[in-house]
């Protein structure tokens, strides 16, 4: 793998057609490893003049925000200098020159800023439900497994198992284990296929780290936010909904909400963050773990426009599919409403549709944007374009993630997304009825 990546960087300097394997905008560990491993496989098994190059769909400067990727690559001895990032290859220029072919991995919908690249897509490999039902002229391998790395592993072992080396196997093995929460059946994230290919990798490479060891290592790295600024913490795992002129950012924060809210100058930083990126509201969904490895989720809604804040809070409080079981927490700032989330199984992926529906209803009742940030003369349209370039917009729909997200990122889909098999019928019980009545009371009290 290391020698192959060294050749990829040299290939960027040549005037030859490139076949880019592009991960999603969240650029979580699953997206990164899937792009690296699939490009490696295609380069080893395809006879063509094209050069297969994996590209991470973020700027190089954003890599430190993804500590699990940084630490994992160090652990398997892959230098960061060998990675190629989105700001180091002009895909649009390559496409215009007729020298670009794309394989999308861990996503299947290009953002608005990359819509022109759709013509260059040759294949899709993804593990989330298909958003666009229209016929496409290229093969789409979409299967609802816990990790996209599982599908890449399957492709390699079925197509050319002899090319798999220890380094690549370690990347795939660790990624699947992290995404599937150490294959814990109580969590239910791992599908039978995920489990099968983890076992196959362990059979082929007996020296791979023990599952618990690699999971603990990657989980600790993923949740490490030490040294990050507030903006970096918000951007680390962020998705954005854009609906009819209203933008809402949803960030997963890997720490206790109380500790996050006690950061010095936080309210001013949140206000500055929203103004800088043109967000009308920011939702922080925190996740941390008890000493017994039980997840604790909390969320906070930061929103200066009172009407929009009421709409978002009402949607979250009154939701019953899924039921977040929110308990309001004391807040000393009028722009912020915080909650303890009683249902720890509800991830950002499940909240995104609720928010999009709420924004649609809100936009129908408002003719102008809720809050115009101070942008120094920059138009809202220009800000939309800049946000798309930054790779965080999900406009006009939801994330390819999710998780993706997640994305994603929660971006990121390993510890913040739900199990792809967690789609049972709604269970009606006395507790559920009581909970719904409490939610209705809360909703009425806010009106």
């Amino acid at each position: 793998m290391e020698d192959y990546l060294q050749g990829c960087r040299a290939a960027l300097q040549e005037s030859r057609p490139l076949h880019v394997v592009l991960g999603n905008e969240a650029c979580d560990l699953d997206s990164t490893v899937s792009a690296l491993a699939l490009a490696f496989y295609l380069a080893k098994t395809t006879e063509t003049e094209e050069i297969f190059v994996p590209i991470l769909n973020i700027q190089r400067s954003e890599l430190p925000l993804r500590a699990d990727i940084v630490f994992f690559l160090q652990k398997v001895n892959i230098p960061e200098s060998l990675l190629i990032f989105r700001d180091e290859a002009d895909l649009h220029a390559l496409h215009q020159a007729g020298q670009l072919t794309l394989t999308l991995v861990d996503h299947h919908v290009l953002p608005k800023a990359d819509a022109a690249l759709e013509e260059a897509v040759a294949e899709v490999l993804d593990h989330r439900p298909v958003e666009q039902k229209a016929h496409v002229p290229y093969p789409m391998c979409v299967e609802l497994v816990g990790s996209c790395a599982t599908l890449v592993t399957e492709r390699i072992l079925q197509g050319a198992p002899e090319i798999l080396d220890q380094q690549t196997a370690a990347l795939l093995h660790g990624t699947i284990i992290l995404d599937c929460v150490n294959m814990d059946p109580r969590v239910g994230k791992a599908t039978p296929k995920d489990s099968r290919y983890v076992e196959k990798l362990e059979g082929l490479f007996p020296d791979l780290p023990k599952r618990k060891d690699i999971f603990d290592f990657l989980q600790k790295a993923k949740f490490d936010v030490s040294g990050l600024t507030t903006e970096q913490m918000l951007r680390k795992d962020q998705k954005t909904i854009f609906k009819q002129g209203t933008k809402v950012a949803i960030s997963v924060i890997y720490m206790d909400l109380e500790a996050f809210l006690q950061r010095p100058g936080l309210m001013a930083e949140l206000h500055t963050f929203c103004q800088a990126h043109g967000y009308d509201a920011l939702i922080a969904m925190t996740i941390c773990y008890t000493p017994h490895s039980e997840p604790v989720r909390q969320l906070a809604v930061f929103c200066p426009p009172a009407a929009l804040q009421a709409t978002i809070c009402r949607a979250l409080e009154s939701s019953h599919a899924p039921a977040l079981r929110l308990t309001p927490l004391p807040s000393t700032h009028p722009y912020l409403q915080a909650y303890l989330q009683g249902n720890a199984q509800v991830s950002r992926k499940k909240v995104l549709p609720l928010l999009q529906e709420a924004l649609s209803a809100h936009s129908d009742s408002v003719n102008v944007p809720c809050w115009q940030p101070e942008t120094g003369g920059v138009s809202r349209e220009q800000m939309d374009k800049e946000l798309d370039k930054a790779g965080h917009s999900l406009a006009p729909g939801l994330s390819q993630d999710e998780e993706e997200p997640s994305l994603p990122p929660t971006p990121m889909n390993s510890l913040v997304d739900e199990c792809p098999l967690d789609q049972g019928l709604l269970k009606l019980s006395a507790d559920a009825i009581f909970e719904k009545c409490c939610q209705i009371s809360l909703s009425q009290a806010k009106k």
Side-chain angles (χ1 to χ4, degrees):
M1 171 68 79
E2 189 173 346
D3 292 340
Y4 161 69
L5 293 177
Q6 185 72 53
C8 289
R9 176 152 291 283
L12 288 181
Q13 313 302 321
E14 303 176 11
S15 298
R16 294 174 59 185
L18 291 184
H19 190 133
V20 172
V21 180
L22 185 68
N24 65 44
E25 297 169 289
C27 196
D28 60 359
L29 185 66
D30 192 23
S31 177
T32 298
V33 169
S34 294
L36 294 174
L38 183 59
F40 176 68
Y41 165 77
L42 293 173
K44 294 290 186 180
T45 59
T46 308
E47 294 184 5
T48 177
E49 293 183 358
E50 293 179 320
I51 301 175
F52 290 89
V53 175
I55 290 185
L56 278 61
N57 207 353
I58 55 171
Q59 298 183 11
R60 179 176 288 274
S61 61
E62 296 181 12
L63 182 61
L65 304 184
R66 292 152 176 81
D68 51 345
I69 297 176
V70 174
F71 294 151
F72 197 21
L73 292 178
Q74 291 175 350
K75 190 174 184 66
V76 298
N77 298 316
I78 294 180
E80 291 179 22
S81 60
L82 298 184
L83 302 178
I84 302 171
F85 295 83
R86 185 61 190 268
D87 55 331
E88 298 172 339
D90 191 338
L91 300 188
H92 288 272
L94 286 168
H95 177 51
Q96 291 174 2
Q99 293 186 313
L100 177 68
T101 303
L102 273 179
T103 290
L104 304 183
V105 64
D106 202 21
H107 65 141
H108 59 270
V109 179
L110 287 168
K112 181 172 59 178
D114 286 337
L117 300 181
E118 178 72 22
E119 301 170 351
V121 176
E123 184 184 6
V124 163
L125 188 67
D126 197 7
H127 72 125
R128 66 200 77 249
V130 176
E131 294 180 28
Q132 297 179 347
K133 302 296 184 181
H135 173 74
V136 293
Y138 46 80
M140 287 186 65
C141 176
V142 178
E143 188 171 348
L144 302 183
V145 293
S147 174
C148 192
T150 295
L151 301 180
V152 177
T153 303
E154 179 182 48
R155 173 77 68 89
I156 295 173
L157 293 183
Q158 289 185 354
E162 68 278 2
I163 66 109
L164 193 62
D165 55 30
Q166 177 86 21
Q167 205 171 39
T168 308
L171 286 171
L172 293 166
H173 178 257
T175 300
I176 299 171
I177 287 173
L178 179 65
D179 277 0
C180 296
V181 196
N182 200 22
M183 323 309 289
D184 190 337
R186 295 171 300 176
V187 177
K189 183 83 184 278
T191 68
K193 177 169 284 191
D194 295 300
S195 299
R196 182 164 67 252
Y197 279 100
V198 164
E199 293 171 0
K200 285 181 177 292
L201 289 171
E202 291 169 346
L204 291 170
F205 299 91
D207 293 335
L208 288 172
K210 300 296 183 183
R211 295 183 187 182
K212 185 178 185 306
D213 292 342
I214 194 64
F215 174 74
D216 289 346
F217 168 81
L218 290 173
Q219 183 186 29
K220 182 179 179 181
K222 179 169 182 168
F223 281 74
D224 183 7
V225 295
S226 59
L228 296 185
T229 65
T230 298
E231 178 171 359
Q232 288 174 326
M233 291 175 67
L234 294 172
R235 290 174 50 213
K236 177 178 171 69
D237 189 0
Q238 177 191 318
K239 299 297 180 188
T240 304
I241 294 177
F242 176 41
K243 196 71 174 179
Q244 298 178 11
T246 301
K247 279 195 181 120
V248 177
I250 308 97
S251 297
V252 176
I253 306 294
Y254 298 96
M255 66 187 301
D256 177 73
L257 179 61
E258 182 178 0
F260 178 68
L261 295 179
Q262 289 178 351
R263 293 172 68 88
L266 179 67
M267 291 301 110
E269 289 183 309
L270 296 181
H271 209 297
T272 299
F273 181 79
C274 288
Q275 286 186 328
H277 298 284
Y279 297 132
D280 298 288
L282 167 67
I283 299 173
M285 301 186 68
T286 67
I287 180 170
C288 57
Y289 283 81
T290 69
H292 301 290
S293 299
E294 297 173 344
V296 176
R297 292 185 185 270
Q298 300 160 299
L299 64 84
V301 178
F302 176 81
C303 183
L308 180 58
Q309 184 189 70
T311 296
I312 292 174
C313 291
R314 186 161 53 246
L316 296 174
E317 292 172 3
S318 62
S319 173
H320 62 277
L324 281 74
R325 303 176 191 168
L326 299 181
T327 301
L329 299 174
S331 175
T332 59
H333 198 285
Y335 293 166
L336 187 132
Q337 176 62 60
Y339 300 94
L340 173 64
Q341 183 178 316
N343 186 355
Q345 299 303 313
V346 179
S347 66
R348 178 177 57 190
K349 181 177 180 179
K350 294 181 179 179
V351 170
L352 282 169
L354 302 177
L355 295 173
Q356 189 177 28
E357 183 177 350
L359 290 186
S360 296
H362 180 79
S363 298
D364 290 341
S365 62
V366 179
N367 295 323
V368 295
C370 304
W371 176 41
Q372 284 293 346
E374 299 171 7
T375 60
V378 179
S379 69
R380 189 63 181 250
E381 182 179 358
Q382 288 173 308
M383 294 186 69
D384 294 346
K385 292 179 180 178
E386 289 304 314
L387 185 61
D388 284 333
K389 289 178 182 178
H392 296 295
S393 175
L394 307 182
L398 295 179
S399 160
Q400 69 273 16
D401 158 305
E402 328 195 300
E403 90 196 275
E404 60 189 13
S406 241
L407 321 145
T410 155
M412 315 278 272
N413 60 9
S414 58
L415 297 178
V416 296
D417 291 349
E418 85 284 358
C419 168
L421 301 182
D422 186 19
Q423 302 291 339
L425 295 174
L426 179 65
K427 296 180 173 59
L428 189 62
S429 64
D431 288 342
I433 295 172
F434 177 75
E435 173 194 327
K436 179 60 180 175
C437 292
C438 292
Q439 291 173 343
I440 294 172
S441 298
L442 278 172
S443 177
Q444 294 298 324
K446 276 189 167 287
K447 291 181 179 179

